[in-house]
Amino acid sequence: MKNRIRVFRTAALTLAATLTLGTAQAQETFRIGYIYPSPAADVGWAHELDEGRRAVEEHFGDQVESVIVENIPDGPDAARIMNQLAAQGVDMMMLGSFGYMNDGLKTAKRYPDIDFIHASGYKTLDNLGNFLTRNHESSYVAGMAAGYVSKSNVIGMVASYAIPEVIGIINAFTLGAQETNPDISIKIVWLNSWFDPSKAQESARSLIAQQSDVIFSIYQDTPSVVTVAEEEGVYVVNTSSDMKPYAPTYLLASMKVSWGDYFIEQVQASMDDSFKGESFWGGMADNAVSVESISDDLSTEQRATLDARIAAITAGEFHPFSGPVIDQSGQEIVAEGDTLSDADLLGISWLVQGIETRLPQ
C-alpha cells in the first residue's frame, strides 16, 4: 500500500497543507478519501468504517491509496474537506456520517468523475450511492436478551439523534424485549450528538438512577456508556463494535456492523467504471450485521431461542416489525400478518408502545 495519510481535525490552512502532501503519491494508484465523523479508535462507528477501509487495502494492496480525515463534524468543515479531497485528485470518497448527505450531494454534482458512497443517507446520484445496515435485525435479538435479564423491567437508552435509522433500532429493540418480557418499559436520553463521552456517561448514570438495569448505548462512538454500566453493575448493549473488553462482566451483547465486502465491491466497480449510485441495505443475510459476545448469563434455553431467531431472520423467515405493531398513541401501525415495508422503515418517525420518552420536537 502507498502512504496512508491520516488527518485529524485542525485549522483549515494546516489541513490543506497536509492534504497537499498526498499529491506527491504516484497517480497510477486509485486514491480513496475517507471522512469520519469521530476519531477511529479501537471500537465504535468510525472504527468499523476504518475496518472497511482496511479490508479494501488488504484486498487491493498497492493498487489503492487511502486519505483518511477523522473527527469532522457535519456542516462547513465537512463540505470543505470534501472539496479539498476532490481538488487533491481522489478517485472515490467514503462519507461516513448521515449529516454529510447534503454536502456530499453538492460535491458529487460538482465532481461527476468522482464516485461517492455515503453512510446512512437516502439520496443518490449516478456517482453517489448510500449504504445502511439492517440494525433493526440485530437490535431485535439484543432486545430479546435484555428482556430476559431485566429484573426491574426498565431499560434505559442513550441515543444519538432521532433519525429514522436510530428510531428503527430503538423500536426493534423494544419489540424484542417485549417478546421475552411483556412488562418492559423504555426510557431514552437523546444526546443529539455522535460523540459526547462525558454527556453519554452522565446520561447512563441518570438512567441507572431511574431503575434501569439494562442500558443500551446507541451510536456513541466510544465505550463511555459501556464502562459506566460495568462500573455500576448493570447489563449493557452497544452498537457498531464488539465492546466486550470494556465490560467483561456486564456486556449483554454487542451489535456489530461490517462494511468490508461492500466497500471492496464498490471500489472495484469504481475502478472498472461500472459504479452505479444505488442504495445498499445489508443485514444478517449479507454478513453486514451480527450479534456478538452474547452473555453467558443467559440460560441454555434462552440462548437457543436467540440463536433460533437469528437463524430465522437470516433466512428471511422472520421480520422484526411483524404485526401487530402498536405505536405510543395506541394506533396499530402494522396489522397482524403484515410486516413494515423497507420504505416505511427508512422514514420511520414514531415510537412503539412501551417507550415512555417522546421523540424530540
Side-chain angles (χ1 to χ4, degrees):
M1 185 192 74
K2 301 294 182 180
N3 283 350
R4 185 191 75 197
I5 303 167
R6 185 177 289 276
V7 185
F8 290 89
R9 187 184 175 202
T10 184
L13 288 176
T14 304
L15 178 55
T18 306
L19 287 175
T20 300
L21 295 175
T23 62
Q25 304 302 320
Q27 289 301 301
E28 68 270 13
T29 58
F30 187 86
R31 304 189 73 223
I32 310 167
Y34 296 85
I35 307 177
Y36 305 150
S38 52
D42 60 334
V43 292
W45 173 254
H47 170 78
E48 297 307 327
L49 292 172
D50 206 47
E51 286 294 290
R53 185 267 308 169
R54 291 178 189 274
V56 168
E57 292 175 354
E58 290 174 5
H59 182 83
F60 291 101
D62 286 350
Q63 297 178 69
V64 298
E65 174 193 330
S66 300
V67 184
I68 305 157
V69 193
E70 301 178 81
N71 204 20
I72 303 300
D74 304 342
D77 283 350
R80 185 181 68 251
I81 298 303
M82 292 176 203
N83 282 293
Q84 288 177 351
L85 286 170
Q88 299 307 318
V90 299
D91 300 288
M92 188 175 186
M93 284 191 221
M94 191 291 300
L95 311 178
S97 172
F98 175 84
Y100 297 163
M101 182 171 62
N102 290 332
D103 288 317
L105 195 72
K106 293 175 185 176
T107 309
K109 288 179 179 178
R110 191 176 298 120
Y111 298 97
D113 293 334
I114 300 174
D115 293 324
F116 295 76
I117 52 175
H118 172 232
S120 302
Y122 55 86
K123 295 181 180 180
T124 61
L125 294 170
D126 288 345
N127 64 325
L128 171 68
N130 56 58
F131 59 97
L132 289 164
T133 41
R134 295 181 179 273
N135 295 301
H136 55 280
E137 295 181 352
S138 52
S139 182
Y140 188 96
V141 175
M144 291 174 65
Y148 277 136
V149 301
S150 179
K151 304 302 182 186
S152 68
N153 298 330
V154 180
I155 295 173
M157 299 185 177
V158 181
S160 52
Y161 288 96
I163 61 173
E165 182 178 0
V166 173
I167 295 169
I169 289 171
I170 289 170
N171 283 341
F173 190 98
T174 304
L175 292 171
Q178 290 171 343
E179 178 182 337
T180 56
N181 183 346
D183 296 325
I184 284 291
S185 64
I186 306 292
K187 301 177 186 290
I188 305 169
V189 175
W190 301 101
L191 292 188
N192 296 315
S193 173
W194 303 115
F195 184 70
D196 193 336
S198 60
K199 188 175 179 182
Q201 289 185 328
E202 176 186 337
S203 300
R205 290 193 172 94
S206 173
L207 289 165
I208 293 168
Q210 297 175 63
Q211 306 306 311
S212 299
D213 61 356
V214 181
I215 300 294
F216 187 16
S217 176
I218 307 172
Y219 286 156
Q220 293 308 296
D221 215 3
T222 72
S224 303
V225 171
V226 174
T227 56
V228 167
E230 180 75 6
E231 291 167 4
E232 299 293 334
V234 301
Y235 287 108
V236 63
V237 175
N238 69 278
T239 53
S240 299
S241 295
D242 187 352
M243 295 192 184
K244 181 70 171 181
Y246 292 93
T249 303
Y250 287 99
L251 185 81
L252 182 60
S254 288
M255 294 164 45
K256 192 177 185 304
V257 298
S258 178
W259 296 119
D261 291 348
Y262 171 76
F263 281 12
I264 290 168
E265 179 183 288
Q266 297 306 301
V267 170
Q268 186 66 66
S270 187
M271 286 179 167
D272 295 341
D273 292 325
S274 61
F275 181 90
K276 296 179 181 179
E278 297 176 332
S279 297
F280 171 77
W281 203 0
M284 288 184 176
D286 308 289
N287 296 316
V289 300
S290 60
V291 186
E292 304 292 335
S293 295
I294 298 174
S295 175
D296 291 336
D297 290 349
L298 296 179
S299 69
T300 301
E301 182 181 357
Q302 290 169 342
R303 180 58 191 265
T305 302
L306 264 58
D307 289 343
R309 183 65 78 216
I310 290 170
I313 292 173
T314 303
E317 298 168 355
F318 177 82
H319 192 293
F321 287 93
S322 299
V325 177
I326 312 298
D327 72 4
Q328 282 180 320
S329 70
Q331 179 182 354
E332 184 178 77
I333 302 297
V334 184
E336 187 169 359
D338 292 338
T339 59
L340 197 65
S341 70
D342 281 357
D344 287 336
L345 262 172
L346 288 170
I348 194 167
S349 59
W350 45 268
L351 295 172
V352 299
Q353 197 169 60
I355 298 175
E356 297 181 15
T357 312
R358 302 290 174 174
L359 288 171
Q361 298 300 314

